[in-house]
Amino acid sequence: MPLPCNLVVLLSGSGSNLQAMIDAFSHRDSPVCIRAVISNRADAFGLERARAAGIETRVLDHAGYDGREAFDQALMALIDGFEPTLVALAGFMRILTPGFVRHYHGRLLNIHPSLLPRHKGLHTHKRALEAGDTEHGCSVHFVTEELDGGPLVVQAAVAVQADDTPETLAGRVHAQEHQIYPLAVRWFAEGRLCLGSHGVSFDGQPLAASGHLIRP
Protein backbone atom coordinates (compact mmCIF):
# COMPACT_ATOMS: atom_id res chain seq x y z
CA MET A 1 0.00 0.00 0.00
CA PRO A 2 1.52 3.38 -1.00
CA LEU A 3 2.41 5.88 1.68
CA PRO A 4 -0.17 8.63 2.21
CA CYS A 5 0.38 12.09 0.76
CA ASN A 6 1.74 14.36 3.51
CA LEU A 7 -0.30 17.56 3.39
CA VAL A 8 0.58 20.85 5.10
CA VAL A 9 -2.21 23.45 5.20
CA LEU A 10 -1.57 27.18 5.53
CA LEU A 11 -4.35 29.45 6.75
CA SER A 12 -5.05 32.81 8.38
CA GLY A 13 -8.71 32.58 9.36
CA SER A 14 -11.65 30.33 10.16
CA GLY A 15 -10.39 27.28 8.31
CA SER A 16 -13.65 26.05 6.80
CA ASN A 17 -11.77 24.53 3.87
CA LEU A 18 -9.43 22.85 6.32
CA GLN A 19 -12.49 21.38 8.04
CA ALA A 20 -13.68 20.02 4.70
CA MET A 21 -10.31 18.30 4.29
CA ILE A 22 -10.40 16.93 7.85
CA ASP A 23 -13.86 15.50 7.16
CA ALA A 24 -12.73 14.03 3.83
CA PHE A 25 -9.45 12.49 4.95
CA SER A 26 -9.99 11.37 8.55
CA HIS A 27 -10.71 7.71 7.73
CA ARG A 28 -8.08 5.01 8.17
CA ASP A 29 -7.50 4.25 4.47
CA SER A 30 -7.26 7.89 3.37
CA PRO A 31 -4.64 8.68 0.71
CA VAL A 32 -3.94 11.96 2.53
CA CYS A 33 -2.34 12.61 5.92
CA ILE A 34 -2.74 16.19 7.15
CA ARG A 35 0.65 16.53 8.83
CA ALA A 36 0.35 20.09 10.07
CA VAL A 37 -1.60 23.32 9.97
CA ILE A 38 0.41 26.55 10.00
CA SER A 39 -0.98 30.05 10.48
CA ASN A 40 0.49 33.52 10.53
CA ARG A 41 -2.19 34.49 13.06
CA ALA A 42 -2.34 32.98 16.55
CA ASP A 43 -6.09 33.72 16.78
CA ALA A 44 -7.03 31.89 13.57
CA PHE A 45 -9.95 29.57 14.33
CA GLY A 46 -8.55 27.08 11.86
CA LEU A 47 -5.90 26.22 14.46
CA GLU A 48 -8.67 25.16 16.85
CA ARG A 49 -10.17 22.95 14.15
CA ALA A 50 -6.79 21.29 13.65
CA ARG A 51 -6.17 20.75 17.37
CA ALA A 52 -9.63 19.23 17.77
CA ALA A 53 -8.70 16.73 15.05
CA GLY A 54 -5.34 15.91 16.64
CA ILE A 55 -3.31 17.65 13.93
CA GLU A 56 -0.07 19.44 14.79
CA THR A 57 -0.26 23.24 14.62
CA ARG A 58 2.32 25.99 14.35
CA VAL A 59 2.07 29.79 14.41
CA LEU A 60 4.56 31.93 12.52
CA ASP A 61 3.74 35.62 12.98
CA HIS A 62 4.83 37.61 9.94
CA ALA A 63 5.07 40.73 12.10
CA GLY A 64 8.19 39.30 13.67
CA TYR A 65 10.15 39.32 10.41
CA ASP A 66 11.84 42.05 8.44
CA GLY A 67 10.02 41.76 5.14
CA ARG A 68 8.43 39.06 3.00
CA GLU A 69 11.67 37.32 2.04
CA ALA A 70 12.71 36.70 5.64
CA PHE A 71 9.25 35.50 6.61
CA ASP A 72 8.95 33.16 3.63
CA GLN A 73 12.39 31.67 4.31
CA ALA A 74 11.34 30.88 7.88
CA LEU A 75 8.00 29.55 6.66
CA MET A 76 9.68 27.23 4.15
CA ALA A 77 11.93 25.84 6.87
CA LEU A 78 8.92 25.23 9.10
CA ILE A 79 6.89 23.57 6.34
CA ASP A 80 9.76 21.37 5.18
CA GLY A 81 10.18 20.01 8.70
CA PHE A 82 6.92 18.13 8.09
CA GLU A 83 8.21 16.58 4.83
CA PRO A 84 5.23 17.69 2.74
CA THR A 85 4.18 16.02 -0.47
CA LEU A 86 1.70 18.86 -1.04
CA VAL A 87 1.07 22.30 0.47
CA ALA A 88 -2.46 23.74 0.38
CA LEU A 89 -3.30 27.41 0.86
CA ALA A 90 -6.67 27.64 2.61
CA GLY A 91 -7.31 31.31 3.19
CA PHE A 92 -3.65 32.16 3.82
CA MET A 93 -3.71 35.94 3.57
CA ARG A 94 -0.15 36.51 2.45
CA ILE A 95 1.29 37.33 -0.96
CA LEU A 96 4.03 34.75 -1.40
CA THR A 97 7.48 35.58 -2.73
CA PRO A 98 8.69 34.11 -6.02
CA GLY A 99 11.29 32.08 -4.15
CA PHE A 100 8.61 30.42 -2.02
CA VAL A 101 6.46 29.63 -5.04
CA ARG A 102 9.40 28.16 -6.96
CA HIS A 103 10.42 26.04 -3.98
CA TYR A 104 7.04 24.29 -4.00
CA HIS A 105 6.47 24.30 -7.76
CA GLY A 106 4.03 21.59 -8.75
CA ARG A 107 3.04 20.83 -5.16
CA LEU A 108 1.35 24.05 -4.06
CA LEU A 109 -2.43 24.43 -4.45
CA ASN A 110 -4.75 27.34 -3.76
CA ILE A 111 -8.51 27.87 -3.80
CA HIS A 112 -9.93 31.16 -5.02
CA PRO A 113 -13.57 32.32 -4.72
CA SER A 114 -14.23 33.12 -8.37
CA LEU A 115 -14.26 31.45 -11.76
CA LEU A 116 -10.71 32.36 -12.69
CA PRO A 117 -9.46 34.14 -14.68
CA ARG A 118 -12.39 36.40 -13.74
CA HIS A 119 -12.13 38.43 -10.52
CA LYS A 120 -8.62 37.82 -9.32
CA GLY A 121 -7.84 39.32 -5.92
CA LEU A 122 -10.27 40.31 -3.17
CA HIS A 123 -14.02 41.03 -2.80
CA THR A 124 -14.92 38.60 -5.57
CA HIS A 125 -18.60 38.12 -4.69
CA LYS A 126 -19.30 41.86 -4.63
CA ARG A 127 -17.42 42.31 -7.90
CA ALA A 128 -19.31 39.47 -9.58
CA LEU A 129 -22.62 41.11 -8.69
CA GLU A 130 -21.44 44.56 -9.80
CA ALA A 131 -20.30 43.09 -13.11
CA GLY A 132 -23.73 41.55 -13.72
CA ASP A 133 -22.32 38.03 -13.92
CA THR A 134 -24.92 35.31 -14.39
CA GLU A 135 -22.51 32.68 -13.10
CA HIS A 136 -19.97 32.75 -10.27
CA GLY A 137 -18.03 30.11 -8.40
CA CYS A 138 -14.63 28.96 -7.18
CA SER A 139 -11.41 27.56 -8.58
CA VAL A 140 -8.60 25.31 -7.39
CA HIS A 141 -5.32 26.00 -9.13
CA PHE A 142 -1.62 25.33 -8.89
CA VAL A 143 0.20 28.38 -7.54
CA THR A 144 2.67 30.23 -9.74
CA GLU A 145 4.33 33.61 -9.43
CA GLU A 146 1.31 35.27 -11.06
CA LEU A 147 -1.25 36.17 -8.39
CA ASP A 148 -4.32 33.92 -8.80
CA GLY A 149 -2.96 33.03 -12.22
CA GLY A 150 -1.65 29.49 -11.95
CA PRO A 151 -2.94 26.55 -14.04
CA LEU A 152 -6.50 25.55 -13.19
CA VAL A 153 -7.38 22.14 -11.79
CA VAL A 154 -11.11 22.24 -11.07
CA GLN A 155 -13.86 24.86 -10.90
CA ALA A 156 -17.40 24.79 -9.54
CA ALA A 157 -19.99 27.19 -10.92
CA VAL A 158 -23.16 28.48 -9.27
CA ALA A 159 -25.92 30.54 -10.84
CA VAL A 160 -26.24 34.14 -9.67
CA GLN A 161 -29.77 34.86 -8.47
CA ALA A 162 -31.53 38.18 -9.03
CA ASP A 163 -31.86 38.82 -5.29
CA ASP A 164 -28.33 37.74 -4.35
CA THR A 165 -26.20 39.79 -1.99
CA PRO A 166 -22.46 39.27 -1.61
CA GLU A 167 -23.24 37.28 1.54
CA THR A 168 -25.81 34.92 0.01
CA LEU A 169 -23.63 34.37 -3.04
CA ALA A 170 -20.60 33.71 -0.83
CA GLY A 171 -22.54 31.08 1.09
CA ARG A 172 -23.28 29.03 -2.02
CA VAL A 173 -19.73 29.44 -3.31
CA HIS A 174 -18.25 28.33 0.02
CA ALA A 175 -20.35 25.17 -0.10
CA GLN A 176 -18.75 24.34 -3.45
CA GLU A 177 -15.25 25.17 -2.19
CA HIS A 178 -15.71 22.50 0.45
CA GLN A 179 -16.44 19.98 -2.31
CA ILE A 180 -13.78 20.73 -4.89
CA TYR A 181 -10.75 21.44 -2.69
CA PRO A 182 -10.66 17.99 -1.04
CA LEU A 183 -11.37 16.52 -4.48
CA ALA A 184 -8.32 18.20 -6.02
CA VAL A 185 -6.13 17.17 -3.07
CA ARG A 186 -7.33 13.59 -3.43
CA TRP A 187 -6.53 13.59 -7.15
CA PHE A 188 -3.00 14.78 -6.37
CA ALA A 189 -2.54 12.22 -3.59
CA GLU A 190 -3.69 9.39 -5.84
CA GLY A 191 -1.21 10.39 -8.54
CA ARG A 192 -3.93 11.37 -10.99
CA LEU A 193 -3.06 15.08 -11.03
CA CYS A 194 0.31 16.69 -11.69
CA LEU A 195 1.89 19.85 -13.03
CA GLY A 196 4.68 19.28 -15.53
CA SER A 197 6.64 21.32 -18.05
CA HIS A 198 3.71 21.20 -20.49
CA GLY A 199 1.00 22.11 -18.02
CA VAL A 200 -1.46 20.17 -15.91
CA SER A 201 -2.13 16.53 -16.66
CA PHE A 202 -4.94 14.38 -15.30
CA ASP A 203 -4.88 10.60 -15.59
CA GLY A 204 -1.92 10.97 -17.92
CA GLN A 205 -3.70 13.32 -20.34
CA PRO A 206 -3.36 17.11 -20.72
CA LEU A 207 -6.04 18.95 -18.78
CA ALA A 208 -7.96 21.72 -20.52
CA ALA A 209 -6.89 25.24 -19.63
CA SER A 210 -10.17 25.75 -17.77
CA GLY A 211 -9.65 22.61 -15.68
CA HIS A 212 -12.57 20.40 -14.74
CA LEU A 213 -15.80 22.39 -14.57
CA ILE A 214 -18.51 21.24 -12.18
CA ARG A 215 -22.02 22.64 -12.24
CA PRO A 216 -23.86 21.27 -9.19
Side-chain angles (χ1 to χ4, degrees):
M1 184 174 177
L3 293 173
C5 168
N6 278 346
L7 175 66
V8 173
V9 178
L10 308 185
L11 54 79
S12 300
S14 70
S16 64
N17 275 302
L18 167 67
Q19 188 64 56
M21 292 181 195
I22 291 170
D23 295 343
F25 303 128
S26 60
H27 57 91
R28 179 180 299 178
D29 298 325
S30 170
V32 177
C33 173
I34 305 176
R35 286 283 287 112
V37 173
I38 300 172
S39 179
N40 63 317
R41 295 179 56 95
D43 61 350
F45 185 67
L47 294 170
E48 294 301 318
R49 297 180 189 271
R51 291 171 188 137
I55 299 167
E56 287 195 56
T57 63
R58 297 289 188 275
V59 175
L60 194 68
D61 187 349
H62 59 274
Y65 293 85
D66 185 17
R68 293 186 190 279
E69 294 283 352
F71 175 75
D72 279 9
Q73 286 293 326
L75 182 58
M76 284 189 283
L78 183 58
I79 293 169
D80 288 349
F82 293 101
E83 301 181 338
T85 316
L86 179 67
V87 178
L89 307 178
F92 189 58
M93 302 306 289
R94 296 283 301 169
I95 295 176
L96 299 168
T97 58
F100 183 98
V101 173
R102 287 193 296 268
H103 183 71
Y104 296 107
H105 178 77
R107 53 197 183 111
L108 181 61
L109 290 177
N110 182 48
I111 190 155
H112 183 73
S114 80
L115 294 174
L116 293 171
R118 290 183 67 79
H119 308 308
K120 297 179 181 182
L122 302 174
H123 310 300
T124 59
H125 312 303
K126 180 174 182 286
R127 289 160 58 201
L129 292 174
E130 289 174 347
D133 293 353
T134 59
E135 197 171 52
H136 187 44
C138 49
S139 308
V140 177
H141 64 95
F142 282 102
V143 178
T144 64
E145 294 178 41
E146 180 186 353
L147 181 65
D148 297 330
L152 292 166
V153 172
V154 57
Q155 298 184 302
V158 300
V160 177
Q161 306 295 334
D163 59 350
D164 263 328
T165 65
E167 292 73 27
T168 60
L169 187 54
R172 295 203 305 284
V173 171
H174 287 159
Q176 294 309 310
E177 290 181 22
H178 302 159
Q179 298 299 313
I180 67 171
Y181 211 178
L183 181 62
V185 170
R186 179 179 296 276
W187 287 341
F188 186 94
E190 292 174 344
R192 303 180 67 190
L193 174 72
C194 69
L195 175 61
S197 57
H198 298 291
V200 180
S201 62
F202 183 77
D203 287 344
Q205 299 296 319
L207 189 61
S210 58
H212 292 278
L213 180 60
I214 297 172
R215 285 189 169 89

